[in-house]
Amino acid sequence: MKSPSFLTKKGEDKMSIPNLQVALDHSNIKDAIKDAVAVGQDVDIIEAGTVLMLEVGSEVVGVLRELFPNKTIVADTKCADAGGTVAKNCANRGADWMTCICSATIATMKAAAKEVKEIQVELYGDWTYEHAQQWLDAGINQAIYHQSRDALLAGETWGEKDLNKVKKLVEMGFKVSVTGGLNIDTLKLFEGIDVYTFIAGRGITQAEDPAAAARAFKDEIRRIWG
């Protein structure tokens, strides 16, 4: 049975079809670009992952921009400080969006937001809805809800408590992206929730046919939210 949808904060009764974002969580630029080329036309958003950026720097953002001039490019810096400087460097390379860790100060987030089109707050650890309201008040309305890689390796899975937090953030007015161990089968857990973007890394890039995996994600998203 199809889960009932709920009204969004603005009273809309029709949800948008979520985006699909590929996370290039590689340790070298060669493999990252290979996978980006393989799936770039089948996804909506391309992310230079944190590990990749730590290994090769913001240069990879520039390469992705050259390859995909019409795609949204995310620099997943998880920035905690020097927000303006980091964001300016990423924007100069061609990033549209950049991530800040939720423990960063509001001043850091605001400084970063002046340099790129949008800031996404990465939700890790002990954040609160009071913090979330402060981000909204600062004009930042994108949040990324995680099941972290380490949590997944420890055996945690998506559950009702996670779904309730995602729903609450959506109701507050956030465009919420979700990520962490996502595959085709887990998408249905979010049915009835106005998810902004599904972010998949290894679920796409480590598939036998990454492009086919990306298309399968898109097909399932359309089936559920279309």
Side-chain angles (χ1 to χ4, degrees):
M1 179 180 295
K2 187 175 179 67
S3 301
S5 63
F6 60 91
L7 297 181
T8 66
K9 190 171 183 181
K10 293 184 179 179
E12 298 173 346
D13 58 5
K14 175 65 175 177
M15 294 183 189
S16 299
I17 296 176
N19 298 304
L20 177 63
Q21 176 173 324
V22 64
L24 301 173
D25 292 321
H26 300 66
S27 294
N28 66 80
I29 195 169
K30 180 180 178 181
D31 289 343
I33 297 306
K34 177 183 177 182
D35 282 338
V37 170
V39 307
Q41 300 307 321
D42 295 299
V43 301
D44 304 296
I45 302 166
I46 302 171
E47 171 198 324
T50 307
V51 172
L52 179 62
M53 293 198 67
L54 287 171
E55 288 288 338
V56 304
S58 60
E59 173 189 0
V60 67
V61 175
V63 176
L64 292 172
R65 174 52 67 209
E66 289 184 11
L67 289 170
F68 302 101
N70 299 316
K71 294 286 182 178
T72 297
I73 305 294
V74 181
D76 187 16
T77 61
K78 294 182 175 64
C79 182
D81 197 11
T85 300
V86 175
K88 185 174 183 178
N89 289 342
C90 291
N92 285 343
R93 292 287 193 176
D96 299 294
W97 302 347
M98 190 187 86
T99 64
C100 285
I101 196 71
C102 59
S103 57
T105 65
I106 296 295
T108 292
M109 294 183 188
K110 283 184 173 181
K114 291 179 180 179
E115 303 296 340
V116 293
K117 293 177 182 177
E118 292 201 43
I119 290 297
Q120 298 175 297
V121 181
E122 296 257 13
L123 304 179
Y124 282 102
D126 297 324
W127 59 275
T128 67
Y129 294 116
E130 288 75 19
H131 292 137
Q133 188 60 54
Q134 291 175 12
W135 306 327
L136 285 174
D137 293 343
I140 297 166
N141 69 346
Q142 280 210 54
I144 303 174
Y145 187 89
H146 282 263
Q147 280 283 5
S148 75
R149 181 181 299 190
D150 292 334
L152 291 166
L153 291 173
E156 293 187 25
T157 57
W158 288 96
E160 193 65 27
K161 65 182 177 71
D162 302 300
L163 300 179
N164 287 336
K165 288 179 180 179
V166 172
K167 289 178 184 178
K168 173 65 173 177
L169 289 165
V170 171
E171 290 167 356
M172 291 179 70
F174 281 99
K175 295 185 288 186
V176 182
S177 300
V178 296
T179 187
L182 295 178
N183 56 47
I184 301 298
D185 293 332
T186 55
L187 293 177
K188 62 180 177 287
L189 296 174
F190 299 90
E191 188 171 359
I193 303 175
D194 198 8
V195 173
Y196 183 59
T197 301
F198 287 105
I199 306 172
R202 295 177 300 282
I204 291 176
T205 60
Q206 291 188 3
E208 184 175 346
D209 185 338
R215 289 192 292 270
F217 265 93
K218 291 285 285 186
D219 288 345
E220 182 68 356
I221 289 169
R222 292 191 192 99
R223 184 189 71 80
I224 296 172
W225 283 270

